[in-house]
Every structure is written in C-alpha cells, then in structure tokens.
Amino acid sequence: MFRNKYVRLVLVPLLVGLVTTGIVYYYLEQAQPEESEPVPMGEVVVARQAIPAGTVLNGEMLTLQVLPKEYLPPYAITEIQQAQGKVTTVPLAAGEPVLETKVAAPGYGKVLAYRIPPGKRAVTLRVNEVTGVAGFLRPGDRVDVLATLPREVAGEEKTVLVAGNLEILAVAQSTEGKEEPVPLEALTSVTLAATPEQAAVLTLAEERGSLRMLLRPVVEEERHGSVEVTGEFFQHPEELPVFEPETQVRIRILLAEVEREDFPELGLKFSSAPTFTELTREVLAKLDVLVANDRAMVVRESELITMNHRQASYTAGSKLPVYVSAGGVRLLNWEWYGIKLSVLPVAYNRPFFDLTINSQVRVVTVEGEPPVHESGLRFVDMREASGTVRIDRSELVVVSGFLRPEDFKTDRGPENRYVLPPDLLSPDLKAGQRGLLVFVIPDIDWR
C-alpha cells in the first residue's frame, strides 16, 4: 500500500512534468524564426545632383547606390565608367538611376543633336534626283561634295572637290537608314556632319554655284583630297586633274644612343638643343656598323601608322607618384617625365613630302625617393622645339639634342632628376659619353 501511494504522489507527477516540459520545449523550438537567406544586392549608378538634358556626364555627377537586385530597374547602368562621356537625353533628378534609355553616346541617339560627332555641325544642303544620287543616299552613308563655281566667283568656271568623306545625318527629315531608295518627291535635302569651316565653304558654294554629292563605297581605302577641273582641261584632255591623295603613312621610330665622338660619322653634330637633321637612309647602315662595334645601341624601335595630314605621336617616358594635399585630403598625382615626339606628314603627289616635327623633353626633379609629397617636388623643366623639313623618299630625319649634362647632375643634396625610364637610361648616356638620337623614317603608301 505504501508503494502505491508512492507511485501516485511522486512518480506520476514527475512523469507528467517531464512530458509537459518536452511538449513546451518542442513548441518553442518550432516557434523560433528560421534564419532568412541573405538578399542579393547590386549596385546602380545614380545622379549625385540634378542633371539637365544634353549634359555630358562625368564622374563628379554620378555615384553608386546599393539596392536589392530584384528592385534594380531595367536597363540600369551599373558602373560609373559606362556612363561617363555619355549625354543625357532627358533631365535627371538627384538620386535618380541612370538608365541606358536616358543617355546616348556622342554620335548616337534618336534626336539629331545627339548624333552629331564631336567637333562637327549639322548643315543641310538642297538636292534633287541628279545631285542627290537618284535617292540612293541614306543616313550613315558618306559622301564627297563637288562644287561647280561660275567665273565671277572663282575667276574661271571650275568644278572643285570642296569636302570629302562627310557623314550623312539625315535625308529630308529621316534619320533612319532604309534599304529602299528615298522617294524622289521626298528627296529635297540632305543633312551632313561637317566642321564649321566645311559648312561655311559648302554654304557659299551652294549660294553662288551648284553642288553635287558623290556617294562613297562602304569599304574603301582612304583616298580623297584636292580635285580641281577647269574648262581648260577639256581643251587638253591628256592632262589629268591635280589630285592630292590622302594616303597611309608608316613612320618607323628608332631610339638609339651613340658615342658622342661618332656623331660626325653619322653626319651629325652634338648639341644640347633639339636639332632636326635631314640625312639619306644610308645612315642606317652606318648605325648598324656602330652597333656591331659596341659604339651605339638601339634601345627601342616602334612604328606609328597615320594618314596624310594627320598627326602621330611617340612617347618614351614614365610617371612619378607625388602626393598632394587638398582640403585636408591626401591625393595621389602622377608627374610625367620623358620625351615626346609628334609628327605631322604632309605628302604630295610628288617625289617629296614635308614632316612637321614637335619634340618635347620633360625633366622632373624631386627631393628624396618617390613617392614624395608635393613639397618634395622641386621643379619641372619643359623644353620644346618644332621644325618642318622637306625630304624625298630616300631620306629620313634625325632628332638630336634631347638631353643636357645638367639633366643628370644636381648640387642640391638628396635630389633626384628623372628624364628617361630606367630601361632607356644607360650609364654611358647618364655620364654624357653618349647622346640620344631619334631616327624618324617615314614610308608613304601610295597604293
């Protein structure tokens, strides 16, 4: 009897309590909130400030904003670099996402103003079935323009090529290219992308004479220039029109260091000022002999490709890190040093051509080893010289006098001067035993 009483008073309540505790624990565990998965996030470019339509975007106008990817708007630009340089087609409010549909790259877009290439203007000219190539002109095509001028305007009646390789922006009021020709009744005007100078010439020629479009093929070598025909030509048909082609120009650049005492062997004089010397290409064979005898060394060889009347540039330099303090913020700037050479070839339909050469030398002097603070930037020496030489196809130009002895010496304690990258600066060149020469070797491709 005692045992039954013990079971009722002790064991039964204990078992009930354990079961109750287990049930409560189970429901509490079920009630715990599950850990939610992280929400995927993404970045979108937004306007840092209100931006009017027609504004060229730069990094200062934009910033990045983080949003859940499911809320990113369609066509959103996600990198600032993708938006820089583009033009807004609608106003943007501060904080508004920048969308591909709200900007256009220069030269693109449905609005004509956004399709005009930088540096060009839209000029509209009258055309008809004959002067407009029978309606086969389409936006995006390129044309040359002939002008026929009367005697009272040009001194004699003549036809002149007044502009070449102009892009068609619109035919009548259509900016979209279509495969079928423009209906002749709608062929009344053509809008071209031209420089302001070209637009002025075209306008005068249209007002005082007559114009005709020449449709250019889609793929063609770059050949256009000055074409002029007068009435006298038809009296002497054996004489061809004068044609100044726009041809491809290849320019080999040889950067060489040569013993100073061997300069006369190459037909040169040692100078501390930039000098342009015309020599025959036989000098290259002499340079090879000096290289073979360890009297010279070609330290770099490059090739520039340009077109007639178009400048090409060559650089041999590097940059120094310089810290600049602005508004309590420490910024890193880069000071460039070295040599630069720009070459403008002007080729004629003759056995000679002109080279206009501009040479620059930039020497940076700093205190201590880079990177340095702006207070350690002592001075920057910039030297520049220009010249035009006329040579034939058997000649080249040698540019000398880039470096001076003082470019490598300093009497101001722990100062360092930087004029050339280390891989171009040999001990002999630094000691003044050798001089630096740049051989400019043009090759005109007349095709």
Side-chain angles (χ1 to χ4, degrees):
M1 183 173 177
F2 173 77
R3 180 178 295 176
N4 293 336
K5 187 177 182 180
Y6 175 79
V7 171
R8 289 197 310 270
L9 297 178
V10 177
L11 292 182
V12 173
L14 180 60
L15 290 174
V16 173
L18 290 175
V19 172
T20 304
T21 301
I23 294 173
V24 171
Y25 178 79
Y26 173 78
Y27 280 103
L28 288 177
E29 282 294 318
Q30 294 297 318
Q32 290 291 335
E34 296 183 0
E35 293 186 3
S36 58
E37 296 183 0
V39 178
M41 305 295 286
E43 292 183 332
V44 61
V45 178
V46 300
R48 189 190 297 270
Q49 62 198 38
I51 303 175
T55 302
V56 179
L57 297 176
N58 59 48
E60 296 180 355
M61 303 175 182
L62 308 170
T63 187
L64 290 173
Q65 183 174 335
V66 179
L67 294 174
K69 285 190 174 181
E70 61 178 319
Y71 296 125
L72 292 181
Y75 308 106
I77 297 178
T78 57
E79 295 181 7
I80 292 180
Q81 291 182 345
Q82 295 177 352
Q84 285 181 321
K86 293 188 176 181
V87 183
T88 55
T89 58
V90 296
L92 298 178
E96 180 178 352
V98 181
L99 308 182
E100 291 284 0
T101 55
K102 296 183 179 181
V103 296
Y108 298 91
K110 295 184 178 181
V111 180
L112 182 61
Y114 299 118
R115 301 174 65 94
I116 303 174
K120 300 295 183 70
R121 305 291 187 270
V123 57
T124 300
L125 304 175
R126 294 185 296 269
V127 294
N128 54 36
E129 178 182 359
V130 176
T131 62
V133 197
F136 288 100
L137 299 177
R138 297 181 304 174
D141 288 342
R142 290 184 173 271
V143 295
D144 299 334
V145 183
L146 289 174
T148 299
L149 304 172
R151 183 184 303 274
E152 57 269 21
V153 175
E156 59 179 333
E157 187 174 4
K158 65 174 60 174
T159 297
V160 183
L161 179 64
V162 292
N165 200 21
L166 301 184
E167 180 186 358
I168 297 178
L169 298 176
V171 177
Q173 290 188 323
S174 174
T175 59
E176 301 296 330
K178 300 180 180 180
E179 293 186 1
E180 61 274 8
V182 177
L184 295 180
E185 60 273 14
L187 185 63
T188 58
S189 65
V190 169
T191 301
L192 306 176
T195 65
E197 294 79 10
Q198 290 173 324
V201 172
L202 292 170
T203 301
L204 178 62
E206 183 183 50
E207 293 297 327
R208 304 297 298 275
S210 61
L211 299 179
R212 178 168 297 196
M213 307 285 175
L214 306 179
L215 179 62
R216 297 173 64 93
V218 175
V219 179
E220 185 195 34
E221 60 187 49
E222 287 287 336
R223 295 180 70 92
H224 61 77
S226 300
V227 178
E228 179 178 308
V229 179
T230 65
E232 186 179 357
F233 168 73
F234 298 98
Q235 301 174 15
H236 305 280
E238 70 280 0
E239 296 183 6
L240 295 176
V242 177
F243 182 78
E244 181 187 305
E246 182 172 350
T247 59
Q248 187 180 80
V249 182
R250 296 176 179 269
I251 305 174
R252 285 179 58 207
I253 301 291
L254 293 182
L255 194 63
E257 57 176 58
V258 179
E259 296 285 341
R260 291 180 57 173
E261 58 189 48
D262 291 326
F263 271 46
E265 178 69 19
L266 301 177
L268 301 169
K269 293 182 179 180
F270 187 82
S271 173
S272 295
T275 305
F276 309 105
T277 307
E278 308 157 40
L279 297 173
T280 65
R281 303 200 179 195
E282 296 175 355
V283 71
L284 296 177
K286 297 179 181 180
L287 177 64
D288 291 339
V289 173
L290 293 177
V291 171
N293 294 325
D294 293 328
R295 306 287 298 176
M297 179 173 61
V298 176
V299 295
R300 184 176 291 181
E301 183 173 356
S302 305
E303 184 179 67
L304 309 178
I305 298 179
T306 184
M307 303 298 293
N308 189 23
H309 292 273
R310 297 184 187 177
Q311 183 173 281
S313 298
Y314 170 80
T315 61
S318 187
K319 295 180 179 180
L320 283 176
V322 178
Y323 286 102
V324 178
S325 297
V329 179
R330 196 182 190 203
L331 304 175
L332 181 61
N333 284 351
W334 294 90
E335 284 290 338
W336 190 90
Y337 66 90
I339 62 175
K340 290 184 179 180
L341 206 68
S342 62
V343 183
L344 175 66
V346 180
Y348 309 94
N349 202 2
R350 302 287 189 272
F352 58 83
F353 46 89
D354 293 337
L355 291 179
T356 299
I357 302 176
N358 177 269
S359 66
Q360 293 182 356
V361 183
R362 201 167 193 265
V363 184
V364 178
T365 301
V366 299
E367 183 176 353
E369 297 293 334
V372 300
H373 191 264
E374 59 183 328
S375 60
L377 180 62
R378 291 308 181 191
F379 61 90
V380 176
D381 183 16
M382 172 74 80
R383 302 193 295 269
E384 187 173 2
S386 299
T388 300
V389 293
R390 173 164 291 183
I391 61 176
D392 59 33
R393 302 180 188 181
S394 66
E395 296 177 315
L396 53 78
V397 178
V398 179
V399 186
S400 58
F402 280 105
L403 308 181
R404 299 174 179 174
E406 56 267 28
D407 291 336
F408 308 104
K409 299 177 183 179
T410 177
D411 299 325
R412 300 187 179 183
E415 286 187 348
N416 293 303
R417 289 185 178 176
Y418 294 85
V419 62
L420 284 177
D423 61 316
L424 302 181
L425 192 57
S426 69
D428 291 339
L429 191 63
K430 192 172 182 179
Q433 297 177 5
R434 292 188 173 188
L436 188 69
L437 302 177
V438 178
F439 292 78
V440 182
I441 311 165
D443 181 21
I444 307 298
D445 182 9
W446 297 104
R447 306 197 192 192

